[in-house]
Amino acid sequence: SPPPWSSPPPAACLFCGWWSFARGKTRTHATTTTSPKMMTMMMLSPPALPIASAPSSSMRRLGRKKTPTTIFARTSASFSIAPTTTKTRGVREHHQHRCVFSRSAATDSNSSNSNSNSVVFNREEDDDLCDDDDTTTIDGKIARQAAVVKGLKDGGKTNQDEEVKAAVTVLKALKAEREKATTTTTTPGGSGTNVETKKKKQKQGATNAQRKKGGTPPRGKKKGGGEQSSSGSSPEEVRQVRIEKVAQLSAANQEPFAYRFDRTNAAAKLQAAYPESALAKGCELENGTREKVCGRVTSRRVFGKLAFMTLTDASGTIQLYCDESRIDPEQFETIKTLVDVGDIVGCEGPLKRTDKGELSIVVEDIKVLTKSLRNLPDKWHGLQDVEIKYRQRYVDLIASSESRDTFYQRAQIIKTMRRYLEDELEFMEMETPIMHTVSGGADAKPFNTHHNALNMDLTLRIATELHLKRLVVGGFERVYEIGRIFRNEGLSTRHNPEFTSIELYQAYGDVTDMLELTEEVICRCAAAVSPSKQLEPIQYGDETIDLTKRPWRRASMNDLVIEACNVDVLNGFDGDLEKAKAACEPALKAHSKQAGASIPAVRDSPNLGTLLNEMFEATVEGTLRQPTFVLDHPIEISPLAKPHRDKKGVTERFELFVVGRELANAFSELTDPIDQRERFEKQSRAHAETQRAAVLRAERKVERGDKDASDVLKETKDDIYEFPIDEDFINALEYGMPPCGGLGIGVDRLVMLLTNSPSIRDVIAFPTLKKEE
């Protein structure tokens, strides 16, 4: 229907400005009456972007002062316009259109219809709304709109408030209009040369060149992946505004960084205690109960005399219902002007359930407990920069409930392990040294350090195994340790230089006990973090992993390699290493391109056991998606395991693989000190031979002039480390260690599997990252 006022408004009124600008036309508002059909189309077809309408230069000038006209984007399902009049400068009446964009006039912050805020803006227009399309007039509009933005901020608004966002959007649109007008200006003499465009292109070229040289990143992106806030203000600008609010709180005798707050309940407990059956929609609890809750404000909406905030604590969320009539006026003003998303607050009041069905605290008293100086990530998208997600984990945890759930589940998994081992199997948790004089228990490059007081070089532990076995020698029959391990090796989605493992040792047991124990502990952990608290198939990426089909598959390493590439490494060549290598190379080429990349390692294998392990890793490991115990490892790669009691050349050892990753490693522990010394010596020699072969291979690449060969040689030499023999451990074995079964499980990889996390960095709170430049 036509607008409710009696005569048509000026040319740049909301209807005509919106209609003409949205369709890229210049439309003059004539004195004729707009048809009802046309007016209905205009009301139902707002544009999708915020715009600023400039009146046509063909309009007659009315000789009165101009006022910037603004139009705001459609952000919700409803759109309404209400005309009013107002006195400006005490002289003239002006048209004032009140624009409201919302899905509901005042909605709960947690309700399903609260995805976009209700934003109310007033738009004043003088009678003179016709401007010339020259840059001077546009500059005036920009100056006036900048003053509007400044006025909002001086009034206590921040860049996160919708009024400021909309005003900034209009300011940007005006600047874009000025730039467009400037770039179409040609040089005197009609040559048609676009000077401004040339300058812009030259500047852009210089910027691109600077980027190629590794210079300053473009505006809007900070080095290291940081982004400007969604409102257009930089993080430092937001910080300065909030620092000013800290001062305002202090001036009002409010402590912006409180000492304590005594709460009576947590959000989740209140949600559980008052379901809708106990407190119906639109009802308030009238038994006089008042609750004190505290937490972080994660969303905030203000609608005149009402305000809604979402309070998030460690247990969950609850809504804060702030009614101006129920709270001290100064406190309500604090909510409107000084409380921001990210602040930690404490409040007190009775419970009610709103008409939308949201359980809420009716705020009658509120205190800012900690004023946040930094802007939180976008509510709906969280942290998009993965590196910042890992580097600033505290922000990720604030913004992402999924990340918090992952670490809750990690804690539950570790707790389940402890309870099962201690309460049911009577294991005892022990602590062993992190700094070692001799690195042992695995073949891995250690981190080196130096003890100044003792003037002694030390290494960080690469395993807890050898010290736990010393405890078994000492008489502790069932021991375990959940501890941090440090290995100076590469990083990947499966590897972090420091990681968590659990190792346990059971006297008078063997590898068969470890098979049963491994299945049981993993299944219990899976059930503990399952929504149903029952063991059930789990989802990992696009795969369904069935842990319920017990016992899990068991197969020997040699048999799996035969299945994959039809090469019997251990038994098919009468112990002839060269013949075995000759058969393995074509088998790798025929298997896959990825497997063919392992040919150099096959050529360098010093014995059949190492060769079999290389073939397994190249052709089998990645294919083991469902839980599979790989048995009977070669003796050459298992220096701490007992020889198999029935099979020659292999040990009583297994590794558990799920989704192509090693998850556990266990064996019947070697207790013979003489055999142990011989194994250590052989492993040390094989280790040295393998490293020498790798260096020779890198040197040949340098001689051939291969690309990046020098870098490869440097990396190869950097990876060289010694494999020392732990004489004290052998000495302990000589005192006598009982028959023993041992097991190690990678806790981080287990958490990855049970929480459906694609990277090990997702399950380590603070993963190792390269230092920011």
Side-chain angles (χ1 to χ4, degrees):
S1 61
W5 48 82
S6 57
S7 61
C13 77
L14 186 58
F15 282 123
C16 289
W18 195 306
W19 178 257
S20 63
F21 198 97
R23 286 150 182 77
K25 300 176 182 179
T26 301
R27 177 182 175 88
T28 301
H29 198 304
T31 56
T32 58
T33 303
T34 305
S35 69
K37 180 179 181 181
M38 183 66 72
M39 189 59 65
T40 301
M41 290 175 61
M42 290 189 284
M43 292 182 68
L44 294 178
S45 305
L49 296 172
I51 56 177
S53 68
S56 169
S57 59
S58 63
M59 285 294 297
R60 59 187 178 85
R61 199 178 278 277
L62 298 179
R64 295 179 184 174
K65 182 173 177 62
K66 299 176 289 295
T67 306
T69 64
T70 60
I71 295 172
F72 302 103
R74 170 171 56 89
T75 59
S76 61
S78 64
F79 167 65
S80 61
I81 303 174
T84 61
T85 59
T86 182
K87 290 286 184 180
T88 304
R89 295 185 298 279
V91 179
R92 295 187 178 91
E93 288 189 352
H94 302 272
H95 286 289
Q96 185 183 51
H97 304 310
R98 190 167 181 268
C99 310
V100 180
F101 303 92
S102 69
R103 284 185 170 85
S104 59
T107 181
D108 298 343
S109 62
N110 284 342
S111 69
S112 60
N113 292 330
S114 63
N115 291 355
S116 61
N117 294 349
S118 175
V119 187
V120 180
F121 300 103
N122 289 332
R123 175 176 180 268
E124 294 186 2
E125 297 182 347
D126 289 320
D127 290 343
D128 178 11
L129 291 171
C130 61
D131 300 323
D132 291 332
D133 291 330
D134 57 79
T135 55
T136 304
T137 302
I138 294 175
D139 285 339
K141 289 182 180 181
I142 291 173
R144 286 192 294 274
Q145 189 65 21
V148 171
V149 175
K150 185 176 185 301
L152 288 171
K153 292 185 177 181
D154 290 344
K157 300 293 182 182
T158 70
N159 291 316
Q160 293 305 300
D161 289 310
E162 295 297 339
E163 295 94 327
V164 178
K165 288 183 181 180
V168 170
T169 299
V170 174
L171 181 60
K172 289 181 178 179
L174 289 170
K175 289 181 178 179
E177 184 180 350
R178 180 179 63 181
E179 183 178 356
K180 181 178 179 181
T182 303
T183 55
T184 55
T185 304
T186 57
T187 57
S191 64
T193 304
N194 194 328
V195 178
E196 293 295 332
T197 302
K198 279 189 173 183
K199 288 182 178 180
K200 185 177 180 181
K201 288 182 177 179
Q202 291 171 358
K203 182 178 180 181
Q204 184 65 33
T207 302
N208 292 337
Q210 181 70 10
R211 288 175 182 165
K212 290 180 180 179
K213 294 178 182 179
T216 304
R219 182 170 175 81
K221 287 281 187 180
K222 291 180 64 180
K223 197 166 186 179
E227 296 184 3
Q228 287 184 319
S229 65
S230 59
S231 64
S233 297
S234 70
E236 189 55 36
E237 289 174 333
V238 173
R239 181 172 178 272
Q240 289 301 321
V241 170
R242 295 196 177 191
I243 288 175
E244 293 174 5
K245 292 186 178 184
V246 169
Q248 293 176 44
L249 286 168
S250 299
N253 293 323
Q254 299 182 50
E255 175 55 61
F257 302 100
Y259 288 88
R260 65 175 290 139
F261 184 85
D262 296 319
R263 62 179 165 191
T264 60
N265 240 319
K269 290 182 178 180
L270 289 174
Q271 298 283 6
Y274 296 96
E276 195 164 326
S277 58
L279 187 60
K281 291 182 180 180
C283 296
E284 183 172 335
L285 206 61
E286 296 180 351
N287 60 3
T289 301
R290 291 165 59 87
E291 297 288 353
K292 291 183 177 181
V293 295
C294 53
R296 190 181 298 273
V297 176
T298 51
S299 71
R300 168 182 173 275
R301 288 170 174 78
V302 178
F303 307 102
K305 296 182 179 181
L306 279 180
F308 298 92
M309 294 186 288
T310 301
L311 188 80
T312 302
D313 62 18
S315 68
T317 64
I318 192 168
Q319 180 170 267
L320 304 184
Y321 180 92
C322 309
D323 187 339
E324 187 179 32
S325 64
R326 302 283 295 271
I327 192 171
D328 181 80
E330 291 185 3
Q331 289 197 340
F332 191 76
E333 188 64 24
T334 296
I335 292 171
K336 290 174 61 177
T337 61
L338 299 181
V339 174
D340 297 300
V341 171
D343 291 353
I344 298 173
V345 302
C347 66
E348 181 179 2
L351 283 166
K352 73 171 291 182
R353 190 173 297 278
T354 66
D355 293 337
K356 297 287 185 180
E358 196 66 39
L359 184 66
S360 308
I361 299 287
V362 180
V363 177
E364 295 180 350
D365 183 46
I366 188 169
K367 295 179 181 178
V368 176
L369 304 180
T370 300
K371 182 65 186 172
S372 171
L373 303 184
R374 297 285 183 180
N375 208 18
L376 294 184
D378 178 80
K379 175 181 178 181
W380 305 111
H381 300 98
L383 277 177
Q384 297 298 300
D385 191 306
V386 175
E387 184 175 347
I388 292 183
K389 174 181 176 180
Y390 299 142
R391 197 177 295 280
Q392 298 180 9
R393 178 68 79 183
Y394 40 89
V395 181
D396 175 48
L397 294 174
I398 293 172
S400 171
S401 60
E402 291 80 5
S403 290
R404 292 196 300 273
D405 289 343
T406 295
F407 290 103
Y408 282 131
Q409 290 175 319
R410 179 188 176 104
Q412 186 63 37
I413 288 168
I414 294 174
K415 179 181 178 180
T416 301
M417 287 180 174
R418 283 195 166 103
R419 296 288 72 78
Y420 174 57
L421 292 175
E422 294 181 10
D423 297 346
E424 298 189 35
L425 301 183
E426 297 183 347
F427 276 79
M428 181 169 63
E429 184 172 13
M430 302 293 289
E431 295 174 299
T432 61
I434 291 177
M435 293 189 295
H436 291 180
T437 54
V438 178
S439 60
D443 187 357
K445 184 177 182 179
F447 287 94
N448 299 308
T449 187
H450 184 81
H451 194 297
N452 290 335
L454 297 176
N455 192 26
M456 180 172 62
D457 291 332
L458 298 168
T459 65
L460 301 185
R461 68 184 178 194
I462 58 175
T464 57
E465 178 171 352
L466 301 188
H467 282 86
L468 288 172
K469 287 182 179 178
R470 287 175 170 93
L471 293 171
V472 175
V473 171
F476 293 111
E477 294 183 355
R478 296 191 176 199
V479 295
Y480 80 95
E481 181 174 8
I482 299 175
R484 214 62 164 171
I485 306 299
F486 308 88
R487 296 182 181 178
N488 195 358
E489 297 174 338
L491 294 87
S492 73
T493 56
R494 294 185 293 174
H495 299 88
N496 195 67
E498 55 175 317
F499 59 95
T500 303
S501 76
I502 176 173
E503 288 198 37
L504 60 89
Y505 295 89
Q506 177 181 332
Y508 309 109
D510 65 3
V511 71
T512 57
D513 298 292
M514 298 301 105
L515 280 167
E516 299 301 325
L517 195 156
T518 303
E519 272 195 34
E520 186 64 24
V521 72
I522 291 175
C523 288
R524 288 188 177 226
C525 290
V529 296
S530 168
S532 66
K533 301 303 179 184
Q534 301 292 325
L535 181 62
E536 55 191 12
I538 62 175
Q539 196 71 24
Y540 190 79
D542 297 330
E543 302 177 78
T544 299
I545 308 302
D546 194 351
L547 302 177
T548 65
K549 293 181 179 180
R550 300 176 63 183
W552 297 336
R553 181 191 180 194
R554 302 175 185 186
S556 74
M557 179 181 285
N558 197 58
D559 289 345
L560 289 170
V561 171
I562 293 173
E563 289 179 13
C565 57
N566 199 30
V567 177
D568 187 348
V569 175
L570 293 183
N571 306 310
F573 305 98
D574 297 326
D576 191 322
L577 178 61
E578 295 306 319
K579 286 184 180 180
K581 289 182 180 180
C584 287
E585 285 194 30
L588 290 175
K589 292 178 181 178
H591 185 274
S592 65
K593 183 177 180 180
Q594 184 177 1
S598 298
I599 289 177
V602 165
R603 291 173 179 170
D604 293 338
S605 297
N607 50 61
L608 287 176
T610 304
L611 177 62
L612 176 61
N613 188 58
E614 294 291 349
M615 292 296 292
F616 171 80
E617 291 180 353
T619 63
V620 178
E621 182 174 324
T623 67
L624 302 177
R625 314 308 296 178
Q626 297 299 322
T628 304
F629 288 113
V630 179
L631 312 174
D632 305 340
H633 287 56
I635 197 169
E636 293 88 348
I637 62 170
S638 310
L640 294 165
K642 275 187 178 294
H644 200 287
R645 65 194 77 181
D646 299 320
K647 300 177 183 178
K648 185 179 179 182
V650 296
T651 58
E652 293 192 352
R653 175 188 176 188
F654 72 78
E655 289 179 306
L656 172 64
F657 287 86
V658 188
V659 295
R661 300 169 184 163
E662 178 194 349
L663 201 60
N665 184 20
F667 32 85
S668 299
E669 300 294 337
L670 181 61
T671 57
D672 182 348
I674 298 174
D675 190 6
Q676 185 67 83
R677 179 182 292 279
E678 292 176 355
R679 301 268 200 97
F680 277 161
E681 290 173 350
K682 286 181 181 179
Q683 188 179 24
S684 182
R685 288 194 296 268
H687 171 82
E689 290 174 11
T690 301
Q691 292 198 330
R692 280 195 298 269
V695 172
L696 288 173
R697 190 164 59 248
E699 288 176 344
R700 285 196 293 269
K701 289 184 179 181
V702 173
E703 292 172 0
R704 292 195 305 264
D706 292 357
K707 185 179 180 181
D708 300 328
S710 298
D711 293 337
V712 172
L713 178 60
K714 182 180 181 303
E715 291 175 3
T716 303
K717 290 183 176 180
D718 288 343
D719 287 339
I720 291 177
Y721 60 94
E722 295 182 355
F723 185 87
I725 297 175
D726 192 336
E727 294 288 349
D728 183 71
F729 173 67
I730 296 174
N731 187 62
L733 291 182
E734 291 180 349
Y735 280 90
M737 184 171 82
C740 185
L743 167 66
I745 299 176
V747 173
D748 305 301
R749 290 187 183 180
L750 178 60
V751 175
M752 287 173 63
L753 175 68
L754 300 183
T755 62
N756 194 13
S757 300
S759 172
I760 195 171
R761 294 183 178 185
D762 294 325
V763 301
I764 296 176
F766 301 100
T768 305
L769 299 170
K770 187 177 181 180
K771 184 179 179 181
E772 285 188 299
E773 297 295 335

